[in-house]
Amino acid sequence: MARNEYYEDGELVKENCPRCGDTVLADHDDRKHCGKCGYTEWK
Ligand SMILES: [Zn+2]
């Protein structure tokens, strides 16, 4: 089971992919990435 969620100030922060809708974006240092469709959101 993949861990795509991360915590910020003690609260669980999840951002869904705008393309898939039901897929949580993986958070990287400089971008967020959807492993399903390949959508990337630069910070
Ligand atoms: Zn996606």
Side-chain angles (χ1 to χ4, degrees):
M1 190 172 181
R3 286 175 54 90
N4 289 329
E5 67 269 26
Y6 68 103
Y7 289 86
E8 186 174 76
D9 295 333
E11 277 189 52
L12 181 62
V13 177
K14 282 185 179 179
E15 190 170 341
N16 288 335
C17 174
R19 287 183 185 170
C20 304
D22 60 346
T23 303
V24 178
L25 298 177
D27 185 57
H28 298 283
D29 286 342
D30 58 350
R31 69 194 189 282
K32 293 173 183 174
H33 181 76
C34 175
K36 189 176 178 181
C37 71
Y39 173 83
T40 303
E41 183 175 295
W42 297 91
K43 290 182 180 178

